Amino acid sequence: MFPDLSSTLQAIFRWFHIIAGITWIGHLYFFNFVNTPFQGGLPKELKPQVNPPLVLRALYFFRWGAMWTFLFGLALFYLIYIQGGAIRDAEGHLSHRAMWILFGALLGTIMWFNVWFVIWPRQKKILGAMLGGPAAPPEAAPQAALASKINTYLSGPMLWGMIAGSHVNLWDMNIGTLVVALVLGLGLIHGLYARSRKVPTAL
Ligand code: HEM
């Protein structure tokens, strides 16, 4: 009924990896395309009432989504590329599938680092201050916002890297295909940012 253990684990891990990835990147897009414009129109005196319960909830799914995506991603990398040997092609060179996933995984790992070591520690200070704790340092908000914007831009090319090796068949990794991945990935995110500032909020 099931193939060998490794293929079964790959199927299950891939499914968890993608569910966790959707949870993570979905919240990232919520923060950047919905919440940032919303906060711009929210009166300052309402922020302590609105933001801790909303943003702490969203940050919970955001950061744990990032952690599980990363851990299942590493497990998949081990099963498919190291144990399964997909890291090398028939001639023993680094395979194109591996090049794409290394590109995607590198961007994903930078994003995971930003979530856990840049965004979350700063958000804890910002929201902690709203809940009556010590004032957040003035650089906390711009640093968290910059890391979040970098992650949003990286998500486009990162996802291309996740799927190109195993689905966009015959896409060798070379300068041309890399440029296409970057232009499409970064261009789409740029368009979503532009659109997010113009979404009508009255009917
Ligand atoms: C955080 C670092 C990440 C690492 C180390 C990682 C690693 C991996 C690996 C090794 C695979 C298997 C690729 C293959 O079959 O050749 C994979 C697949 C995949 N990853 Fe990631 N990943 C990461 C982040 C993400 C994120 C944030 C998403 C967003 C949703 C994502 C979405 C996917 C998808 C959709 C696949 C399935 C591709 C397929 O079936 O061919 N990954 N990932």
Side-chain angles (χ1 to χ4, degrees):
M1 190 168 65
F2 288 113
D4 59 280
L5 179 65
S6 176
S7 318
T8 306
L9 284 181
Q10 275 180 45
I12 294 171
F13 285 7
R14 189 179 296 259
W15 177 74
F16 272 117
H17 178 67
I18 294 171
I19 298 249
I22 291 170
T23 308
W24 171 15
I25 305 301
H27 280 87
L28 177 70
Y29 290 175
F30 163 76
F31 283 127
N32 281 270
F33 302 143
V34 178
N35 194 45
T36 303
F38 171 74
Q39 293 291 330
L42 185 65
K44 217 172 170 210
E45 61 278 12
L46 284 183
K47 292 198 177 198
Q49 212 183 326
V50 172
N51 284 347
L54 173 71
V55 179
L56 282 173
R57 251 180 250 277
L59 280 170
Y60 173 86
F61 287 101
F62 174 71
R63 70 181 187 281
W64 287 110
M67 184 59 85
W68 286 111
T69 308
F70 179 61
L71 294 177
F72 280 110
L74 291 184
L76 278 174
F77 189 80
Y78 174 75
L79 287 177
I80 299 168
Y81 291 88
I82 306 295
Q83 195 192 59
I87 190 122
R88 306 216 170 277
D89 61 19
E91 283 91 51
H93 301 126
L94 187 67
S95 68
H96 284 277
R97 183 175 172 185
M99 288 184 210
W100 278 117
I101 200 67
L102 286 171
F103 168 70
L106 173 70
L107 300 185
T109 303
I110 294 171
M111 292 167 63
W112 166 83
F113 181 90
N114 276 341
V115 169
W116 277 90
F117 302 105
V118 181
I119 299 171
W120 172 232
R122 282 159 186 77
Q123 284 291 356
K124 262 202 295 198
K125 289 186 184 148
I126 297 164
L127 293 161
M130 286 184 192
L131 288 168
E139 67 279 9
Q143 285 174 350
L146 178 64
S148 190
K149 196 163 196 175
I150 290 173
N151 274 11
T152 306
Y153 271 105
L154 291 185
S155 71
M158 178 278 299
L159 202 54
W160 190 274
M162 286 295 140
I163 59 170
S166 50
H167 286 292
V168 186
N169 286 332
L170 305 176
W171 271 63
D172 281 0
M173 159 80 89
N174 56 43
I175 292 293
T177 53
L178 205 54
V179 168
V180 171
L182 288 172
V183 169
L184 275 179
L186 298 175
L188 175 72
I189 300 297
H190 191 70
L192 287 173
Y193 267 119
R195 186 72 241 158
S196 74
R197 283 7 180 208
K198 295 184 201 140
V199 173
T201 53
L203 294 175

